[in-house]
């Protein structure tokens, strides 16, 4: 600006016919303004005079010619840039130094572009897609198989097993029984509906039963103690003429000697050792 009717607010010299600068409605000659108010340049450390362009970023100032990439020295004026530890870098240098690589294409994810994070890896948004339908996954639920990501509908269509009991998809875990997949919560005793995953069970007519229910519904009763004979755990039992005994119950009715592996005689419902039967 030029003026012919005012004086410098600081040195009081006439500004008539001279350039001057205004600050808070006060006029200053150029030397006074620069000495009082010029910002120091972050690049060359010299004052940015009022007749120079002052480029500012986060409270710091540069001459237009000093506003450059700290690594390759290319001008950053009207160019995208990034800051790292207060150092300014062009996007190419920043990417070389600090940007992560896309897990899928292995190319740099440029600053300013949208980045997806999943299981500790980074992806371009355009690379983070369902392996089958190629639609973007974004923040949708997904399932990973063999390091490939699938949206839930595609995974179910391609890979998922259906529970033998409820017919719904098994997305994780599950139990295999009789070559059929089951949800853990669906794999229950056909009698009392107790979950059988990790428990002992007995199969009958293609259905699993807990030991108690199988014994109650199907196991034969010992002719002596009337308790079920399950034969679990290698327990011995004896069968004779449509009657069964636990090994420990198969004793002479008269003298109680064990008849397991011994000759015996029958008299009506009694079983007798050879000595008692011959008496």
């Amino acid at each position: 600006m030029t003026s012919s009717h005012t004086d410098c607010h600081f040195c009081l010299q006439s500004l008539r016919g001279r350039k001057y600068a205004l600050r808070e409605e006060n006029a200053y000659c150029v030397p006074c303004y620069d000495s009082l108010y010029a910002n120091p340049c972050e690049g060359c450390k010299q004052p940015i005079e009022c007749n120079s362009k002052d480029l500012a970023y986060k409270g710091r100032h540069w001459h237009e010619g000093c506003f450059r990439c700290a690594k390759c020295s290319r001008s950053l004026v009207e160019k995208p840039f990034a800051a790292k530890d207060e150092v300014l870098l062009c996007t190419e240098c920043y990417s070389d130094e600090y940007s992560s690589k896309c897990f899928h294409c292995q190319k740099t994810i440029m600053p300013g572009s949208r980045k997806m994070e999943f299981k500790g890896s980074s992806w371009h948004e355009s690379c983070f897609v369902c392996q089958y339908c190629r639609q973007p996954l974004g923040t949708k639920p997904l399932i990973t198989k063999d390091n490939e990501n699938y949206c839930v509908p595609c995974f179910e269509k391609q890979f998922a097993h259906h529970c033998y009991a409820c017919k719904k998809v098994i997305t994780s875990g599950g139990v295999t029984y009789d070559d059929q997949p089951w949800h853990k919560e669906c794999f229950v005793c056909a009698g009392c509906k107790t979950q059988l995953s990790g428990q002992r069970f007995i199969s009958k007519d293609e259905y699993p039963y807990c030991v108690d229910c199988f014994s109650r519904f199907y196991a034969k009763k010992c002719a002596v103690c009337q308790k079920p004979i399950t034969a679990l755990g290698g327990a011995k039992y004896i069968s004779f003429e449509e009657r069964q005994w636990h090994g420990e119950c198969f004793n002479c009715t008269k003298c109680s000697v064990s008849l397991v592996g011994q000759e015996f005689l029958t008299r009506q419902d009694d079983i007798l050792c050879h000595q008692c039967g011959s008496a």
Side-chain angles (χ1 to χ4, degrees), residues 43-241:
C44 67
K45 308 305 180 183
Q46 297 300 313
I48 304 174
E49 299 171 339
C50 64
N51 59 355
S52 299
K53 194 169 185 178
D54 186 334
L55 300 181
Y57 174 71
K58 289 189 175 181
R60 297 187 295 156
H61 301 263
W62 288 263
H63 288 106
E64 186 175 14
C66 296
F67 196 60
R68 298 178 176 276
C69 172
K71 185 175 181 182
C72 70
S73 297
R74 282 185 288 184
S75 174
L76 299 177
V77 177
E78 297 183 357
K79 301 286 180 61
F81 64 90
K84 180 69 175 178
D85 300 327
E86 297 189 354
V87 175
L88 302 185
L89 298 168
C90 64
T91 54
E92 290 81 0
C93 289
Y94 183 90
S95 298
D96 290 343
E97 290 289 325
Y98 304 109
S99 291
S100 52
K101 298 290 191 295
C102 174
F103 182 83
H104 178 73
C105 69
Q106 293 302 308
K107 293 181 180 179
T108 298
I109 301 175
M110 300 296 289
S113 61
R114 191 172 182 188
K115 179 173 67 172
M116 309 303 296
E117 298 281 349
F118 179 65
K119 289 188 174 180
S121 298
S122 302
W123 308 64
H124 290 113
E125 185 178 21
S126 58
C127 292
F128 194 59
V129 299
C130 171
Q131 179 67 17
Y132 185 71
C133 69
R134 311 307 299 176
Q135 293 300 307
L137 290 169
T139 57
K140 297 177 183 176
L142 61 92
I143 300 173
T144 301
K145 179 179 173 62
D146 299 330
N147 289 327
E148 299 289 356
N149 300 319
Y150 298 85
C151 63
V152 173
C154 286
F155 182 86
E156 292 178 354
K157 186 186 300 181
Q158 291 294 107
F159 305 109
H161 296 291
H162 290 76
C163 176
Y164 182 78
C166 70
K167 310 304 179 188
K168 294 180 181 179
V169 171
I170 300 173
T171 57
S172 63
V175 175
T176 299
Y177 165 66
D178 199 21
D179 295 328
Q180 298 291 347
W182 305 60
H183 289 115
K184 284 185 178 180
E185 58 271 22
C186 292
F187 189 60
V188 297
C189 171
C192 66
K193 307 304 179 184
T194 301
Q195 287 193 21
L196 296 176
S197 179
Q199 306 298 319
R200 299 174 70 183
F201 63 91
I202 303 171
S203 176
K204 175 70 174 177
D205 299 330
E206 298 185 356
Y207 289 99
Y209 291 84
C210 67
V211 174
D212 289 342
C213 285
F214 182 84
S215 299
R216 187 182 311 122
F217 298 142
Y218 300 108
K220 296 182 183 298
K221 302 294 191 297
C222 175
V224 174
C225 70
Q226 297 302 307
K227 293 181 180 179
I229 299 174
T230 62
L232 290 176
K236 293 182 179 180
Y237 71 98
I238 294 89
S239 179
F240 178 72
E241 292 184 350

Side-chain angles (χ1 to χ4, degrees), residues 248-268:
E248 61 272 19
C249 293
F250 192 59
N251 302 321
C252 174
T253 304
K254 187 173 182 180
C255 70
S256 299
V257 68
S258 174
L259 297 177
V260 176
Q262 306 296 320
E263 292 184 355
F264 63 89
L265 302 172
T266 62
R267 182 179 300 159
Q268 297 180 351

Side-chain angles (χ1 to χ4, degrees), residues 26-37:
N26 295 318
Y28 296 84
C29 65
V30 171
C32 287
Y33 184 89
D34 288 341
S35 64
L36 292 172
Y37 301 115

